Amino acid sequence: MKNLCGGIIPVSVPPEVPLREFPYNAVVELVNPVADTVSRKTYTGADVDWYVKAEDIVLKNKGNQNAGNPQNHAPQGQQKK
């Protein structure tokens, strides 16, 4: 993930989330992201690194309201067999 200054912000997901392979430059959505920083004191001030933790990373689906919930695959109104 790139930040506004052009740097990279690491995104981590729990180890139990299966590997996802998306096309290069695919638009994705982070499920329940939390952004935070880690800073280190330096001689001239501080160095700050940003990172993001998320529960999952999914392809962004513009027409689907359930894009953030990949567990809900059954259409509304139908019962699972």
Side-chain angles (χ1 to χ4, degrees):
M1 184 168 128
K2 283 192 172 183
N3 66 14
L4 297 176
C5 297
I8 299 295
I9 299 174
V11 176
S12 62
V13 295
E16 60 271 8
V17 172
L19 176 65
R20 307 264 194 255
E21 293 188 17
F22 302 121
Y24 184 75
N25 280 340
V27 178
V28 296
E29 187 171 2
L30 302 177
V31 179
N32 296 326
V34 175
D36 208 346
T37 60
V38 175
S39 62
R40 291 174 304 284
K41 185 178 176 181
T42 64
Y43 180 73
T44 58
D47 287 336
V48 178
D49 292 323
W50 286 87
Y51 67 92
V52 176
K53 291 181 182 179
E55 291 179 11
D56 203 351
I57 300 175
V58 296
L59 281 174
K60 188 165 186 173
N61 188 348
K62 294 179 183 178
N64 186 354
Q65 295 297 321
N66 294 325
N69 185 4
Q71 303 300 322
N72 187 1
H73 297 293
Q76 298 262 339
Q78 291 184 359
Q79 294 180 350
K80 293 182 181 178
K81 294 181 180 181

